[in-house]
Amino acid sequence: MTLRVTATTVLALLSVCYSMAGATDSPQASARTHVQNYKDLVLATCIATAYRDEKQAAADAGSSVSALRDWTYYDLEKAPDEIRDLVDQFLSRDYHNPLAEPEAHGTRFDLLKCLDLFHSGELDGQVKRLVIDA
């Protein structure tokens, strides 16, 4: 028995393979809700701000913020100031761990602060006020 494959069949199979591969090779934000993307945008903003002196980390987080803006529908007039204020509020917290202090003197716990921001009631309130079509 001879296997006969048409060009259309090959193209269809390639298309399926390409779309399956693309599912993990491209940002998934377009499939998320505006609320999820807004919260991710705020988290990325916090990380970019916290690590602004670490050029690669800040550039990567900042690029993520820019991409997330394209997939999020929110109040563009109010949100930037409110995001900045909330990020500054959380990053200015004075976290310390007395048990780790001798080994990690001067640790700022900025990532932990950003995670706390991400899970905070303050961010949830901001989402309710600023995200459109939540």
Side-chain angles (χ1 to χ4, degrees):
M1 179 166 118
T2 312
L3 181 59
R4 205 171 179 170
V5 181
T6 65
T8 305
T9 304
V10 170
L11 289 174
L13 288 171
L14 286 173
S15 173
V16 169
C17 290
Y18 179 75
S19 66
M20 288 173 66
T24 58
D25 293 342
S26 61
Q28 303 297 298
S30 64
R32 292 190 196 110
T33 67
H34 294 298
V35 169
Q36 291 167 321
N37 284 333
Y38 186 86
K39 290 180 84 170
D40 289 347
L41 182 147
V42 173
L43 176 61
T45 300
C46 187
I47 292 169
T49 303
Y51 298 99
R52 66 180 153 255
D53 293 332
E54 319 254 343
K55 297 304 177 197
Q56 281 186 303
D60 185 54
S63 294
S64 297
V65 169
S66 295
L68 286 163
R69 283 184 185 130
D70 294 338
W71 292 304
T72 310
Y73 193 44
Y74 60 97
D75 187 326
L76 290 169
E77 286 184 31
K78 295 178 184 174
D81 291 335
E82 290 200 32
I83 290 170
R84 186 175 39 257
D85 291 346
L86 191 58
V87 165
D88 290 345
Q89 173 191 338
F90 272 78
L91 288 177
S92 69
R93 291 180 172 186
D94 185 19
Y95 286 11
H96 63 280
N97 181 345
L99 299 176
E101 193 61 33
E103 297 88 30
H105 182 70
T107 301
R108 298 182 326 233
F109 296 100
D110 285 342
L111 184 57
L112 184 57
K113 294 171 190 177
C114 291
L115 291 169
D116 286 348
L117 165 59
F118 182 79
H119 294 287
S120 72
E122 293 93 334
L123 180 55
D124 289 340
Q126 199 174 91
V127 164
K128 288 176 184 170
R129 283 192 319 279
L130 301 175
V131 176
I132 301 164
D133 291 335

